[in-house]
Amino acid sequence: MKILQLELFKVPPRWVFLKITTDNGMEGWGEPVVEGRADTVMAAVREMSGYLTGKDPGHIEDIWQLLYRGGFYRGGPVLMSAISGIDQALWDIKGKALGVPVYDLLGGPIRDKMKIYGWIGGDKPFMAAEAARKRVASGFLAVKMNACAAMEWIDTPKKIQDAVDCIRSVREAIGYEIGLGIDFHGRVHKGMAKGFMRELESLKPMFIEEPVLAENGDAFSQLAQYTSTPIATGERLFSRWDFKALFERGAVDIIQPDLSHAGGISEVKKIAAMAEAYDIALAPHFPLGPVSFASALQVDFSCI
């Protein structure tokens, strides 16, 4: 079996799907995209396609290494998202060829269900509590919300207080038996994040996500001293080498690699194994389309 062709499909609202077809008619699907940069990633996939035509699609690791190491420049959101979609499609072909789900090829399932949370926004405080109630009423055992709008490097105490009051209204609406994840989205700088995180302690968040931007890696170690709440990050990290420094600092408790950005199924499985060795939890990030979601399930079903 050989790879015959690659086809790309751009689909609203922000999806890109890749179909890899083999010479015996088998098809595999992937989702290579960066939000807001779909055309750029599509161009990268097309540039990589010359390496793929005629290759055995079952040689997934060999192809991954070829695409990653075959150029002078490596890593980053565009190149790794292109590799991610290709990798997903190759695993899809292998699973279909062997007649098994991909998680069986990764060692088999260690769970048959996965915990999820319901997103409630949070940018509009007057709507947050009601949105949380609706999520809980529909059966969710956890919700996640934005912490605040973008803050200045050093902002006013009122901006912090308003954000805390909004989050408190959600906690009061759902009680303490429901998990409450709080996503800073990297909108807060280190100087403001310190006090903000301390103010949230009494509300017992399930985790605080991206308290600062991922590129400010050293700041995570400092911010960890200001809270007992688990810290999460990783959606804007793109390979095991990006995560390596984060693990070594020992400042985060949950990693969130994205299956369409962090090298696909092959790479995220390796990142997850590294995280386990550092006693760090895995929570794959998947806000995109159905192929990305299905890929995340394969990894999550097969990892601690």
Side-chain angles (χ1 to χ4, degrees), residues 3-265:
I3 294 172
L4 182 64
Q5 66 176 352
L6 288 78
E7 299 174 84
L8 288 159
F9 305 89
K10 188 177 179 181
V11 180
R14 57 177 185 175
W15 301 338
V16 173
F17 299 119
L18 165 67
K19 181 171 75 170
I20 295 180
T21 306
T22 67
D23 58 359
N24 68 349
M26 190 160 287
E27 299 172 349
W29 289 89
E31 193 171 344
V33 67
V34 171
E35 298 90 316
R37 297 291 183 270
D39 292 334
T40 310
V41 179
M42 290 170 72
V45 173
R46 292 188 182 104
E47 289 172 343
M48 292 177 179
S49 64
Y51 293 101
L52 297 170
T53 305
K55 292 284 193 305
D56 185 331
H59 294 177
I60 299 174
E61 181 65 24
D62 184 51
I63 290 173
W64 196 100
Q65 295 294 342
L66 175 67
L67 296 178
Y68 182 80
R69 301 178 187 277
F72 185 80
Y73 296 98
R74 302 175 181 178
V78 173
L79 295 179
M80 293 305 290
S81 295
I83 291 174
S84 295
I86 293 168
D87 183 81
Q88 292 166 355
L90 295 178
W91 278 107
D92 189 23
I93 290 171
K94 175 156 278 193
K96 289 173 178 175
L98 297 175
V100 296
V102 170
Y103 60 73
D104 269 353
L105 303 176
L106 300 177
I110 62 171
R111 58 178 62 86
D112 57 11
K113 58 184 177 180
M114 184 171 67
K115 294 180 180 179
I116 62 173
Y117 55 74
W119 175 252
I120 63 168
D123 288 338
K124 297 180 179 179
F126 64 93
M127 298 175 61
E130 182 57 29
R133 289 190 192 96
K134 289 180 178 178
R135 287 295 197 185
V136 173
S138 66
F140 284 93
L141 299 179
V143 299
K144 187 174 88 169
M145 64 183 293
N146 287 330
C148 60
M151 287 193 178
E152 300 292 338
W153 290 84
I154 302 298
D155 218 318
T156 64
K158 185 177 188 306
K159 186 75 76 69
I160 293 287
Q161 191 60 56
D162 288 346
V164 173
D165 288 345
C166 176
I167 296 167
R168 179 177 292 109
S169 73
V170 172
R171 175 52 84 197
E172 291 174 349
I174 63 176
Y176 284 87
E177 292 185 359
I178 301 297
L180 174 57
I182 301 174
D183 193 348
F184 280 39
H185 276 305
R187 295 172 174 176
V188 185
H189 298 281
K190 182 178 69 173
M192 297 301 296
K194 297 175 184 178
F196 195 177
M197 293 169 75
R198 276 188 168 167
E199 290 286 334
L200 294 174
E201 281 282 295
S202 64
L203 300 179
K204 309 294 184 186
M206 184 168 59
F207 58 81
I208 290 174
E209 182 175 342
E210 280 198 321
V212 293
L213 290 171
E215 55 258 41
N216 297 320
D218 290 339
F220 282 89
S221 299
Q222 299 175 46
L223 293 175
Q225 301 174 35
Y226 290 85
T227 184
S228 62
T229 301
I231 295 176
T233 193
E235 68 186 85
R236 287 186 264 197
L237 299 175
F238 309 109
S239 72
R240 75 197 89 152
W241 293 278
D242 289 347
F243 280 93
K244 178 182 177 182
L246 193 67
F247 294 154
E248 290 173 346
R249 292 187 186 103
V252 301
D253 307 285
I254 305 167
I255 56 159
Q256 303 164 306
D258 191 301
L259 270 291
S260 280
H261 300 327
I265 292 170

